[in-house]
Amino acid sequence: MSVTTHWFLPTHGDGRSIVDRPHVTPTGADTPRQPDIDYLAQVAQAAEHLGFTGMLTPTGSWCQDAWVTTAALLARTRRIKFLVAFRPGALTPTLAAQLATTYQRVSGGRLLLNIVTGGESVEQQRFGDWLDHDQRYARTDEFLAVLRGIFAGEPFDFDGEHYQIRGAVAFEKPDPQPPLYFGGSSDAALPVAARRADVHLTWGEPPGAVAQKVRRLRELAAEEGRTLRFGIRAHIITRDTSAEAWATAQKFVDQMDPADVAASQAKFAATESTGQRNMAALHGGVLRSDARELEIHPGLWAGVGLLRGGAGTAFVGSHAEVADLIEEYHAVGIEEFVLSGYPHLEEAYWFGEGVHPELARRGLLAPVGAPAPDPVAAGRW
């Protein structure tokens, strides 16, 4: 089965380095490329031109709202889908269903939904959410049950611990029903993914660790009478040669301030997120002088996670080497790749013009310029 590639919309700003990140500093004022609509349109149009299927648009207090931003970009693009991230604790499932239904009508079916339960209480409390980690996943389970009930098109009732709902409807059934992408690595998260998600997303741990997670989720989904697709969220540094790619990784290391690394690692050490702890364990919190010392698997680099929360690894290498790593992940069950790079505009071209054709040559991707398979139309949801 072929792979699906998605790119990332930098609604927090962009730059030529890992250190150009507004959520490291108190504000995004020093971000070299501000996330104005014209720049974001450039990134979205490039991703569309290069054959990516969708664009992940993040959620949080450090970035712009994903619903509003991507809706504005619909008129600036023609085909690309938007993987809109949102937090169940910040809106009701009925409102989410209405938003999704409206979005599908306005966009012609270009919505994908990324449900972000939220791993950090400090961040959740900014939105008035005071549930603890496991309670948040229990609420997400109920939220998604209601959301799917409304998507079915009949008035929906629900009685749970977090939601008591009567006669919930949207003005019509969404066409098509947007697939649900869901991340989480904890014991509280995995059963929710098995029961409710269409695609489980994981951060870029080594292929062996990802294979174990895929096997566990397949078992849990089978117990629910369901099947899941699997995706991975990672960064990309790809160039015409391996030496050029690793030189870029080395430049990123050289730009890191040890004090900033220490501050980020102190924050990550207190995390409630299992996935974030897994990311931190890959590099041990130590800034190395040689970027290659942070290579934890052939072509998999943990240097991003020294400063950046969330996805902390990058696929690094020549176009063929990056394709090799994608093929390795695909062999353990990963079909969707949600990717990003610094800066997002230029790195989209490096990947789209370099790795996409390589994947196509291997039969893992439709050739650039050919219609990409639509998993919704193909009934894979």
PDB file of all heavy atoms in Angstrom, residues 165-199:
ATOM      1  N   ILE A 165     -26.001  15.062  26.839  1.00  0.00           N
ATOM      2  CA  ILE A 165     -26.436  15.751  25.621  1.00  0.00           C
ATOM      3  C   ILE A 165     -27.748  15.147  25.141  1.00  0.00           C
ATOM      4  O   ILE A 165     -27.930  13.917  25.178  1.00  0.00           O
ATOM      5  CB  ILE A 165     -25.341  15.640  24.537  1.00  0.00           C
ATOM      6  CG1 ILE A 165     -24.144  16.521  24.932  1.00  0.00           C
ATOM      7  CG2 ILE A 165     -25.865  16.029  23.164  1.00  0.00           C
ATOM      8  CD1 ILE A 165     -22.955  16.396  24.039  1.00  0.00           C
ATOM      9  N   ARG A 166     -28.651  16.002  24.680  1.00  0.00           N
ATOM     10  CA  ARG A 166     -29.938  15.559  24.168  1.00  0.00           C
ATOM     11  C   ARG A 166     -30.168  16.113  22.772  1.00  0.00           C
ATOM     12  O   ARG A 166     -30.063  17.323  22.542  1.00  0.00           O
ATOM     13  CB  ARG A 166     -31.083  16.040  25.077  1.00  0.00           C
ATOM     14  CG  ARG A 166     -31.119  15.414  26.451  1.00  0.00           C
ATOM     15  CD  ARG A 166     -31.520  13.933  26.378  1.00  0.00           C
ATOM     16  NE  ARG A 166     -31.447  13.312  27.714  1.00  0.00           N
ATOM     17  CZ  ARG A 166     -30.345  12.753  28.203  1.00  0.00           C
ATOM     18  NH1 ARG A 166     -29.240  12.719  27.474  1.00  0.00           N
ATOM     19  NH2 ARG A 166     -30.357  12.203  29.400  1.00  0.00           N
ATOM     20  N   GLY A 167     -30.476  15.217  21.851  1.00  0.00           N
ATOM     21  CA  GLY A 167     -30.889  15.621  20.510  1.00  0.00           C
ATOM     22  C   GLY A 167     -29.852  16.404  19.727  1.00  0.00           C
ATOM     23  O   GLY A 167     -30.205  17.281  18.938  1.00  0.00           O
ATOM     24  N   ALA A 168     -28.586  16.064  19.898  1.00  0.00           N
ATOM     25  CA  ALA A 168     -27.523  16.813  19.212  1.00  0.00           C
ATOM     26  C   ALA A 168     -27.553  16.529  17.712  1.00  0.00           C
ATOM     27  O   ALA A 168     -27.610  15.369  17.284  1.00  0.00           O
ATOM     28  CB  ALA A 168     -26.165  16.453  19.790  1.00  0.00           C
ATOM     29  N   VAL A 169     -27.519  17.586  16.904  1.00  0.00           N
ATOM     30  CA  VAL A 169     -27.500  17.450  15.450  1.00  0.00           C
ATOM     31  C   VAL A 169     -26.626  18.545  14.853  1.00  0.00           C
ATOM     32  O   VAL A 169     -26.375  19.571  15.480  1.00  0.00           O
ATOM     33  CB  VAL A 169     -28.913  17.572  14.833  1.00  0.00           C
ATOM     34  CG1 VAL A 169     -29.792  16.406  15.259  1.00  0.00           C
ATOM     35  CG2 VAL A 169     -29.556  18.896  15.217  1.00  0.00           C
ATOM     36  N   ALA A 170     -26.160  18.306  13.654  1.00  0.00           N
ATOM     37  CA  ALA A 170     -25.620  19.363  12.799  1.00  0.00           C
ATOM     38  C   ALA A 170     -26.663  19.620  11.721  1.00  0.00           C
ATOM     39  O   ALA A 170     -27.626  18.865  11.575  1.00  0.00           O
ATOM     40  CB  ALA A 170     -24.291  18.935  12.183  1.00  0.00           C
ATOM     41  N   PHE A 171     -26.495  20.684  10.944  1.00  0.00           N
ATOM     42  CA  PHE A 171     -27.532  21.021   9.966  1.00  0.00           C
ATOM     43  C   PHE A 171     -27.601  20.026   8.815  1.00  0.00           C
ATOM     44  O   PHE A 171     -28.592  19.961   8.097  1.00  0.00           O
ATOM     45  CB  PHE A 171     -27.348  22.450   9.446  1.00  0.00           C
ATOM     46  CG  PHE A 171     -26.074  22.676   8.679  1.00  0.00           C
ATOM     47  CD1 PHE A 171     -26.018  22.493   7.315  1.00  0.00           C
ATOM     48  CD2 PHE A 171     -24.918  23.091   9.337  1.00  0.00           C
ATOM     49  CE1 PHE A 171     -24.852  22.702   6.610  1.00  0.00           C
ATOM     50  CE2 PHE A 171     -23.739  23.312   8.638  1.00  0.00           C
ATOM     51  CZ  PHE A 171     -23.691  23.120   7.277  1.00  0.00           C
ATOM     52  N   GLU A 172     -26.532  19.222   8.644  1.00  0.00           N
ATOM     53  CA  GLU A 172     -26.542  18.135   7.669  1.00  0.00           C
ATOM     54  C   GLU A 172     -25.388  17.212   8.004  1.00  0.00           C
ATOM     55  O   GLU A 172     -24.522  17.549   8.816  1.00  0.00           O
ATOM     56  CB  GLU A 172     -26.390  18.679   6.239  1.00  0.00           C
ATOM     57  CG  GLU A 172     -25.061  19.361   5.982  1.00  0.00           C
ATOM     58  CD  GLU A 172     -24.965  19.931   4.572  1.00  0.00           C
ATOM     59  OE1 GLU A 172     -25.963  19.898   3.842  1.00  0.00           O
ATOM     60  OE2 GLU A 172     -23.873  20.423   4.214  1.00  0.00           O
ATOM     61  N   LYS A 173     -25.349  16.054   7.394  1.00  0.00           N
ATOM     62  CA  LYS A 173     -24.203  15.165   7.575  1.00  0.00           C
ATOM     63  C   LYS A 173     -23.006  15.740   6.819  1.00  0.00           C
ATOM     64  O   LYS A 173     -23.163  16.214   5.690  1.00  0.00           O
ATOM     65  CB  LYS A 173     -24.532  13.770   7.041  1.00  0.00           C
ATOM     66  CG  LYS A 173     -25.594  13.034   7.823  1.00  0.00           C
ATOM     67  CD  LYS A 173     -25.974  11.725   7.149  1.00  0.00           C
ATOM     68  CE  LYS A 173     -24.831  10.732   7.144  1.00  0.00           C
ATOM     69  NZ  LYS A 173     -25.269   9.399   6.645  1.00  0.00           N
ATOM     70  N   PRO A 174     -21.813  15.717   7.420  1.00  0.00           N
ATOM     71  CA  PRO A 174     -20.646  16.210   6.680  1.00  0.00           C
ATOM     72  C   PRO A 174     -20.355  15.315   5.487  1.00  0.00           C
ATOM     73  O   PRO A 174     -20.470  14.090   5.575  1.00  0.00           O
ATOM     74  CB  PRO A 174     -19.513  16.141   7.715  1.00  0.00           C
ATOM     75  CG  PRO A 174     -19.957  15.108   8.695  1.00  0.00           C
ATOM     76  CD  PRO A 174     -21.457  15.194   8.747  1.00  0.00           C
ATOM     77  N   ASP A 175     -19.991  15.932   4.368  1.00  0.00           N
ATOM     78  CA  ASP A 175     -19.780  15.176   3.140  1.00  0.00           C
ATOM     79  C   ASP A 175     -18.445  15.599   2.520  1.00  0.00           C
ATOM     80  O   ASP A 175     -18.336  16.700   1.968  1.00  0.00           O
ATOM     81  CB  ASP A 175     -20.929  15.418   2.174  1.00  0.00           C
ATOM     82  CG  ASP A 175     -20.796  14.597   0.891  1.00  0.00           C
ATOM     83  OD1 ASP A 175     -20.102  13.558   0.941  1.00  0.00           O
ATOM     84  OD2 ASP A 175     -21.362  15.004  -0.127  1.00  0.00           O
ATOM     85  N   PRO A 176     -17.413  14.715   2.619  1.00  0.00           N
ATOM     86  CA  PRO A 176     -17.427  13.440   3.328  1.00  0.00           C
ATOM     87  C   PRO A 176     -17.234  13.644   4.828  1.00  0.00           C
ATOM     88  O   PRO A 176     -16.854  14.728   5.261  1.00  0.00           O
ATOM     89  CB  PRO A 176     -16.225  12.710   2.723  1.00  0.00           C
ATOM     90  CG  PRO A 176     -15.264  13.809   2.406  1.00  0.00           C
ATOM     91  CD  PRO A 176     -16.112  14.963   1.942  1.00  0.00           C
ATOM     92  N   GLN A 177     -17.462  12.580   5.596  1.00  0.00           N
ATOM     93  CA  GLN A 177     -17.175  12.646   7.025  1.00  0.00           C
ATOM     94  C   GLN A 177     -15.671  12.769   7.212  1.00  0.00           C
ATOM     95  O   GLN A 177     -14.915  11.954   6.696  1.00  0.00           O
ATOM     96  CB  GLN A 177     -17.687  11.394   7.721  1.00  0.00           C
ATOM     97  CG  GLN A 177     -17.448  11.382   9.219  1.00  0.00           C
ATOM     98  CD  GLN A 177     -18.128  10.198   9.889  1.00  0.00           C
ATOM     99  OE1 GLN A 177     -19.262   9.875   9.591  1.00  0.00           O
ATOM    100  NE2 GLN A 177     -17.413   9.540  10.783  1.00  0.00           N
ATOM    101  N   PRO A 178     -15.196  13.799   7.918  1.00  0.00           N
ATOM    102  CA  PRO A 178     -13.745  13.976   8.037  1.00  0.00           C
ATOM    103  C   PRO A 178     -13.121  12.889   8.905  1.00  0.00           C
ATOM    104  O   PRO A 178     -13.651  12.570   9.973  1.00  0.00           O
ATOM    105  CB  PRO A 178     -13.615  15.348   8.704  1.00  0.00           C
ATOM    106  CG  PRO A 178     -14.906  15.555   9.416  1.00  0.00           C
ATOM    107  CD  PRO A 178     -15.948  14.866   8.594  1.00  0.00           C
ATOM    108  N   PRO A 179     -12.023  12.297   8.468  1.00  0.00           N
ATOM    109  CA  PRO A 179     -11.342  11.288   9.284  1.00  0.00           C
ATOM    110  C   PRO A 179     -10.751  11.917  10.538  1.00  0.00           C
ATOM    111  O   PRO A 179     -10.378  13.087  10.557  1.00  0.00           O
ATOM    112  CB  PRO A 179     -10.256  10.747   8.358  1.00  0.00           C
ATOM    113  CG  PRO A 179     -10.035  11.823   7.356  1.00  0.00           C
ATOM    114  CD  PRO A 179     -11.349  12.502   7.172  1.00  0.00           C
ATOM    115  N   LEU A 180     -10.647  11.117  11.591  1.00  0.00           N
ATOM    116  CA  LEU A 180     -10.175  11.574  12.892  1.00  0.00           C
ATOM    117  C   LEU A 180      -8.751  11.083  13.130  1.00  0.00           C
ATOM    118  O   LEU A 180      -8.500   9.872  13.219  1.00  0.00           O
ATOM    119  CB  LEU A 180     -11.095  11.067  14.008  1.00  0.00           C
ATOM    120  CG  LEU A 180     -12.584  11.403  13.875  1.00  0.00           C
ATOM    121  CD1 LEU A 180     -13.351  10.853  15.074  1.00  0.00           C
ATOM    122  CD2 LEU A 180     -12.800  12.903  13.740  1.00  0.00           C
ATOM    123  N   TYR A 181      -7.826  12.021  13.235  1.00  0.00           N
ATOM    124  CA  TYR A 181      -6.438  11.734  13.579  1.00  0.00           C
ATOM    125  C   TYR A 181      -6.270  11.985  15.075  1.00  0.00           C
ATOM    126  O   TYR A 181      -6.768  12.980  15.611  1.00  0.00           O
ATOM    127  CB  TYR A 181      -5.493  12.640  12.798  1.00  0.00           C
ATOM    128  CG  TYR A 181      -5.414  12.358  11.315  1.00  0.00           C
ATOM    129  CD1 TYR A 181      -6.487  12.605  10.474  1.00  0.00           C
ATOM    130  CD2 TYR A 181      -4.235  11.855  10.750  1.00  0.00           C
ATOM    131  CE1 TYR A 181      -6.416  12.352   9.113  1.00  0.00           C
ATOM    132  CE2 TYR A 181      -4.143  11.602   9.383  1.00  0.00           C
ATOM    133  CZ  TYR A 181      -5.243  11.857   8.577  1.00  0.00           C
ATOM    134  OH  TYR A 181      -5.166  11.605   7.235  1.00  0.00           O
ATOM    135  N   PHE A 182      -5.538  11.107  15.728  1.00  0.00           N
ATOM    136  CA  PHE A 182      -5.463  11.160  17.186  1.00  0.00           C
ATOM    137  C   PHE A 182      -4.082  10.699  17.638  1.00  0.00           C
ATOM    138  O   PHE A 182      -3.575   9.683  17.153  1.00  0.00           O
ATOM    139  CB  PHE A 182      -6.548  10.248  17.774  1.00  0.00           C
ATOM    140  CG  PHE A 182      -6.568  10.143  19.271  1.00  0.00           C
ATOM    141  CD1 PHE A 182      -7.297  11.038  20.033  1.00  0.00           C
ATOM    142  CD2 PHE A 182      -5.858   9.137  19.917  1.00  0.00           C
ATOM    143  CE1 PHE A 182      -7.330  10.930  21.417  1.00  0.00           C
ATOM    144  CE2 PHE A 182      -5.882   9.022  21.294  1.00  0.00           C
ATOM    145  CZ  PHE A 182      -6.620   9.924  22.048  1.00  0.00           C
ATOM    146  N   GLY A 183      -3.464  11.434  18.557  1.00  0.00           N
ATOM    147  CA  GLY A 183      -2.171  11.054  19.085  1.00  0.00           C
ATOM    148  C   GLY A 183      -2.246  10.770  20.573  1.00  0.00           C
ATOM    149  O   GLY A 183      -3.156  11.226  21.268  1.00  0.00           O
ATOM    150  N   GLY A 184      -1.279  10.048  21.075  1.00  0.00           N
ATOM    151  CA  GLY A 184      -1.210   9.715  22.491  1.00  0.00           C
ATOM    152  C   GLY A 184      -0.519   8.389  22.679  1.00  0.00           C
ATOM    153  O   GLY A 184      -0.809   7.432  21.943  1.00  0.00           O
ATOM    154  N   SER A 185       0.395   8.323  23.669  1.00  0.00           N
ATOM    155  CA  SER A 185       1.161   7.102  23.889  1.00  0.00           C
ATOM    156  C   SER A 185       0.938   6.490  25.261  1.00  0.00           C
ATOM    157  O   SER A 185       1.488   5.431  25.558  1.00  0.00           O
ATOM    158  CB  SER A 185       2.662   7.402  23.726  1.00  0.00           C
ATOM    159  OG  SER A 185       2.965   7.836  22.417  1.00  0.00           O
ATOM    160  N   SER A 186       0.151   7.143  26.105  1.00  0.00           N
ATOM    161  CA  SER A 186      -0.040   6.674  27.473  1.00  0.00           C
ATOM    162  C   SER A 186      -1.060   5.543  27.530  1.00  0.00           C
ATOM    163  O   SER A 186      -1.799   5.285  26.577  1.00  0.00           O
ATOM    164  CB  SER A 186      -0.504   7.827  28.362  1.00  0.00           C
ATOM    165  OG  SER A 186      -1.812   8.237  27.996  1.00  0.00           O
ATOM    166  N   ASP A 187      -1.123   4.888  28.689  1.00  0.00           N
ATOM    167  CA  ASP A 187      -2.117   3.838  28.888  1.00  0.00           C
ATOM    168  C   ASP A 187      -3.534   4.393  28.824  1.00  0.00           C
ATOM    169  O   ASP A 187      -4.478   3.666  28.489  1.00  0.00           O
ATOM    170  CB  ASP A 187      -1.884   3.160  30.238  1.00  0.00           C
ATOM    171  CG  ASP A 187      -0.609   2.324  30.263  1.00  0.00           C
ATOM    172  OD1 ASP A 187      -0.117   1.950  29.188  1.00  0.00           O
ATOM    173  OD2 ASP A 187      -0.098   2.057  31.376  1.00  0.00           O
ATOM    174  N   ALA A 188      -3.688   5.676  29.154  1.00  0.00           N
ATOM    175  CA  ALA A 188      -5.009   6.295  29.060  1.00  0.00           C
ATOM    176  C   ALA A 188      -5.378   6.622  27.620  1.00  0.00           C
ATOM    177  O   ALA A 188      -6.565   6.657  27.263  1.00  0.00           O
ATOM    178  CB  ALA A 188      -5.048   7.570  29.907  1.00  0.00           C
ATOM    179  N   ALA A 189      -4.379   6.853  26.775  1.00  0.00           N
ATOM    180  CA  ALA A 189      -4.630   7.301  25.403  1.00  0.00           C
ATOM    181  C   ALA A 189      -4.901   6.160  24.433  1.00  0.00           C
ATOM    182  O   ALA A 189      -5.770   6.265  23.554  1.00  0.00           O
ATOM    183  CB  ALA A 189      -3.438   8.119  24.902  1.00  0.00           C
ATOM    184  N   LEU A 190      -4.158   5.073  24.546  1.00  0.00           N
ATOM    185  CA  LEU A 190      -4.218   4.025  23.527  1.00  0.00           C
ATOM    186  C   LEU A 190      -5.610   3.407  23.374  1.00  0.00           C
ATOM    187  O   LEU A 190      -6.073   3.202  22.237  1.00  0.00           O
ATOM    188  CB  LEU A 190      -3.167   2.950  23.815  1.00  0.00           C
ATOM    189  CG  LEU A 190      -1.700   3.413  23.759  1.00  0.00           C
ATOM    190  CD1 LEU A 190      -0.772   2.227  23.978  1.00  0.00           C
ATOM    191  CD2 LEU A 190      -1.379   4.107  22.434  1.00  0.00           C
ATOM    192  N   PRO A 191      -6.344   3.104  24.463  1.00  0.00           N
ATOM    193  CA  PRO A 191      -7.694   2.556  24.261  1.00  0.00           C
ATOM    194  C   PRO A 191      -8.642   3.531  23.572  1.00  0.00           C
ATOM    195  O   PRO A 191      -9.536   3.109  22.826  1.00  0.00           O
ATOM    196  CB  PRO A 191      -8.156   2.239  25.689  1.00  0.00           C
ATOM    197  CG  PRO A 191      -6.904   2.103  26.494  1.00  0.00           C
ATOM    198  CD  PRO A 191      -5.949   3.091  25.888  1.00  0.00           C
ATOM    199  N   VAL A 192      -8.459   4.833  23.806  1.00  0.00           N
ATOM    200  CA  VAL A 192      -9.297   5.830  23.136  1.00  0.00           C
ATOM    201  C   VAL A 192      -9.028   5.807  21.637  1.00  0.00           C
ATOM    202  O   VAL A 192      -9.955   5.836  20.815  1.00  0.00           O
ATOM    203  CB  VAL A 192      -9.054   7.237  23.712  1.00  0.00           C
ATOM    204  CG1 VAL A 192      -9.937   8.264  23.008  1.00  0.00           C
ATOM    205  CG2 VAL A 192      -9.314   7.254  25.208  1.00  0.00           C
ATOM    206  N   ALA A 193      -7.761   5.741  21.270  1.00  0.00           N
ATOM    207  CA  ALA A 193      -7.409   5.636  19.852  1.00  0.00           C
ATOM    208  C   ALA A 193      -8.033   4.399  19.224  1.00  0.00           C
ATOM    209  O   ALA A 193      -8.590   4.445  18.122  1.00  0.00           O
ATOM    210  CB  ALA A 193      -5.898   5.604  19.689  1.00  0.00           C
ATOM    211  N   ALA A 194      -7.957   3.276  19.931  1.00  0.00           N
ATOM    212  CA  ALA A 194      -8.486   2.023  19.392  1.00  0.00           C
ATOM    213  C   ALA A 194      -9.992   2.093  19.179  1.00  0.00           C
ATOM    214  O   ALA A 194     -10.516   1.540  18.212  1.00  0.00           O
ATOM    215  CB  ALA A 194      -8.139   0.871  20.330  1.00  0.00           C
ATOM    216  N   ARG A 195     -10.707   2.773  20.071  1.00  0.00           N
ATOM    217  CA  ARG A 195     -12.168   2.850  19.982  1.00  0.00           C
ATOM    218  C   ARG A 195     -12.652   3.898  18.994  1.00  0.00           C
ATOM    219  O   ARG A 195     -13.693   3.719  18.345  1.00  0.00           O
ATOM    220  CB  ARG A 195     -12.764   3.183  21.360  1.00  0.00           C
ATOM    221  CG  ARG A 195     -12.983   2.011  22.266  1.00  0.00           C
ATOM    222  CD  ARG A 195     -13.822   2.395  23.478  1.00  0.00           C
ATOM    223  NE  ARG A 195     -13.146   3.352  24.339  1.00  0.00           N
ATOM    224  CZ  ARG A 195     -12.325   3.025  25.337  1.00  0.00           C
ATOM    225  NH1 ARG A 195     -12.073   1.742  25.575  1.00  0.00           N
ATOM    226  NH2 ARG A 195     -11.762   3.950  26.079  1.00  0.00           N
ATOM    227  N   ARG A 196     -11.930   5.024  18.863  1.00  0.00           N
ATOM    228  CA  ARG A 196     -12.520   6.186  18.214  1.00  0.00           C
ATOM    229  C   ARG A 196     -11.790   6.707  16.978  1.00  0.00           C
ATOM    230  O   ARG A 196     -12.402   7.352  16.138  1.00  0.00           O
ATOM    231  CB  ARG A 196     -12.595   7.344  19.230  1.00  0.00           C
ATOM    232  CG  ARG A 196     -13.231   7.004  20.560  1.00  0.00           C
ATOM    233  CD  ARG A 196     -14.684   6.626  20.425  1.00  0.00           C
ATOM    234  NE  ARG A 196     -15.277   6.357  21.748  1.00  0.00           N
ATOM    235  CZ  ARG A 196     -16.425   5.750  21.942  1.00  0.00           C
ATOM    236  NH1 ARG A 196     -17.138   5.360  20.905  1.00  0.00           N
ATOM    237  NH2 ARG A 196     -16.879   5.538  23.163  1.00  0.00           N
ATOM    238  N   ALA A 197     -10.490   6.502  16.877  1.00  0.00           N
ATOM    239  CA  ALA A 197      -9.707   7.178  15.838  1.00  0.00           C
ATOM    240  C   ALA A 197      -9.766   6.431  14.515  1.00  0.00           C
ATOM    241  O   ALA A 197     -10.055   5.232  14.446  1.00  0.00           O
ATOM    242  CB  ALA A 197      -8.255   7.334  16.286  1.00  0.00           C
ATOM    243  N   ASP A 198      -9.470   7.157  13.445  1.00  0.00           N
ATOM    244  CA  ASP A 198      -9.217   6.550  12.141  1.00  0.00           C
ATOM    245  C   ASP A 198      -7.716   6.368  11.914  1.00  0.00           C
ATOM    246  O   ASP A 198      -7.285   5.370  11.343  1.00  0.00           O
ATOM    247  CB  ASP A 198      -9.795   7.427  11.032  1.00  0.00           C
ATOM    248  CG  ASP A 198     -11.304   7.519  11.097  1.00  0.00           C
ATOM    249  OD1 ASP A 198     -11.973   6.460  11.094  1.00  0.00           O
ATOM    250  OD2 ASP A 198     -11.835   8.640  11.193  1.00  0.00           O
ATOM    251  N   VAL A 199      -6.935   7.371  12.346  1.00  0.00           N
ATOM    252  CA  VAL A 199      -5.482   7.333  12.182  1.00  0.00           C
ATOM    253  C   VAL A 199      -4.850   7.650  13.525  1.00  0.00           C
ATOM    254  O   VAL A 199      -5.169   8.682  14.134  1.00  0.00           O
ATOM    255  CB  VAL A 199      -4.989   8.349  11.134  1.00  0.00           C
ATOM    256  CG1 VAL A 199      -3.469   8.271  10.981  1.00  0.00           C
ATOM    257  CG2 VAL A 199      -5.669   8.127   9.796  1.00  0.00           C
TER     258      VAL A 199
END
